[in-house]
Amino acid sequence: ERKSTIHVALFPTSGMGHLTPFLRLATSLVASDVRVTFIAAHPTVSLAESRALSSFFASFPQVIPMQLCLLPIDESSSSTDDPFYRHYEVICRSCRLLPPLLSSISPPLSALITDMSLISAVLPVSRAVGLPNYVFFTSSAKMLTLFMSFHKISVGKAMPGSEDNEDVIKIPNLEPIPVSWFPPPLLEEEDNFLKSSLIQNGKSMSDADGILINTFHGFEQDTLRALNDVNITSGLPPAIAIGPLPPANFEEPHSHPLAWLGDQPIGSVVYVSFGSRTAMSRDQIRELGDGLVRSGVRFVWIVKSKKVDEEDTEGLEDVIGQNLMMATSGAVNGLVVKCWLNQSEVLGHPAIGGFLSHCGWNSVMEAVWHGVPMLAWPQHGDQMINASLVKRAGIGIWEESWGRGEKDVVKGEEIADRLEEITRDESLKARAARMKEAARTALGADGDSGRGLKALLAKLSQ
Ligand code: BUP
């Protein structure tokens, strides 16, 4: 059989929430005999990213590593103090260094697959060197509908042709989206770097050759249909569902919590994590700890008090407090850790029966992949929209008032009640198990996502 001559370069932005699905996509492409060049911004913002890259390149020597060396980070002129966003700003500025890198790649590329947050910076470059440019959208299809429509609407007014409503944005032919679910930077009146990047990237999407999404028809059927219905979205590139991208072998096992999990009854433990870049307030961490202990539910809790892992140097006791440390140190009911662990591996452990999550999209897809019901507690960004999908699919519960206005710090009693609910509710478990089957079917050769990837490869080989 003839070897594929397709050669694609993948280019993610900063943060594990983007790097992880890009590495999984690279793994799927390699498995389909595609030659892959992986462009990584250097340096990375977190240790987790540089470790993941090293272990990926060690496992896949056939993948060509390429570094985009970033321009100096000028903290004084940066418009944000969030390290991930500061890094993102610099990656955008450094995209002008891409043309010589892209031209040096051999054999020549068939296409570039660019992160959804970098498309407006990269598209002029790929056009200049004559390369097809696909976007990889690392969030939900529903988020994509907002992303691509936002530049046509102004908050408070609906899009032309739809009814006015202050609290809901109506995107013609698609489900309305409450304004309160929008990523917060979009709601700021003043212009800011993030808002203008979201708007610019949303606009540029229409000029891409196609949009790959880490989702599947069984989870977002209506939205995916609408996105590909030419009558609704004329002029937009095809939106191709290729997910949920399965966890890959190079993602190293971390045995510490797994040993403890091995001693727990099947389906009895709730895994608690708010992702790689959300730091909770000290007060909220303590209430959450109180809720976990009160609930009597077994748990593995990943505690994070700083956004970037390298800065997260405080001891566990300083973060969660002495009382909680005492309550959890016997490890009768729970395990509290302050380190990176292989989340997907933990979610796949038979002892896990629930996931208290911020609903980063990768976390949602990983929970679906392993059939774990969720207690959704979105914090910012696309997480509210993702939580709404978890709720709609019936695989989790979402208490929408959490983290809003006067109820900013959610009390331990309330958290305990909800934790008990997800561990008791048999219908949630049954639906999560069915969704897991649907996810695995989607990825099979005859599944929607399997066919989506095949169709993409057929197009690239032309
Ligand atoms: Br924390 C943590 N181990 O300890 P999301 C995260 N992860 O494997 P985020 C670990 O990082 P964005 C840990 O499995 C997922 O693949 C986790 O991505 C993994 O959320 C990824 O869930 C985190 O999308 O990113 O980090 O908030 O803001 O881009 O959604």
Side-chain angles (χ1 to χ4, degrees), residues 201-334:
N201 284 310
K203 275 188 196 165
S204 300
M205 288 271 181
S206 327
D207 299 324
D209 291 274
I211 304 169
L212 314 178
I213 319 176
N214 188 16
T215 189
F216 62 108
H217 282 258
F219 200 60
E220 293 200 87
Q221 180 96 315
D222 299 350
T223 310
L224 284 165
R225 278 210 186 126
L227 279 168
N228 285 305
D229 182 336
V230 281
N231 298 321
I232 298 177
T233 51
S234 57
L236 291 181
I240 310 164
I242 54 162
L245 288 165
N249 289 340
F250 67 87
E251 296 168 27
E252 289 297 317
H254 291 71
S255 55
H256 162 54
L258 293 182
W260 181 82
L261 280 173
D263 295 333
Q264 311 307 317
I266 289 181
S268 68
V269 180
V270 174
Y271 171 67
V272 183
S273 172
F274 292 86
S276 66
R277 48 197 265 183
T278 302
M280 254 188 184
S281 72
R282 188 64 53 110
D283 288 350
Q284 188 60 81
I285 288 179
R286 304 232 165 147
E287 287 295 334
L288 170 55
D290 176 54
L292 286 165
V293 173
R294 260 174 207 275
S295 71
V297 167
R298 292 181 171 82
F299 60 87
V300 173
W301 176 23
I302 312 296
V303 176
K304 253 175 84 63
S305 58
K306 290 274 166 29
K307 288 183 179 169
V308 174
D309 48 13
E310 271 169 288
E311 293 167 9
D312 213 348
T313 50
E314 264 174 311
L316 187 56
E317 183 166 339
D318 294 331
V319 180
I320 67 172
Q322 208 181 11
N323 290 346
L324 201 56
M325 199 72 183
M326 302 263 281
T328 55
S329 63
V332 184
N333 259 358

Side-chain angles (χ1 to χ4, degrees), residues 25 31 51 67 84 86 93 98 104-105 110 145 153 157 166 212 225 228 251 293 320 323 325 420 438 447:
L25 174 59
R51 287 200 186 117
Q67 280 187 347
F84 284 94
R86 203 154 54 208
R93 279 198 289 119
L98 277 174
S104 72
I105 294 176
S110 323
T145 64
I153 48 187
K157 289 189 218 126
E166 296 195 286
L212 314 178
R225 278 210 186 126
N228 285 305
E251 296 168 27
V293 173
I320 67 172
N323 290 346
M325 199 72 183
E420 287 171 54

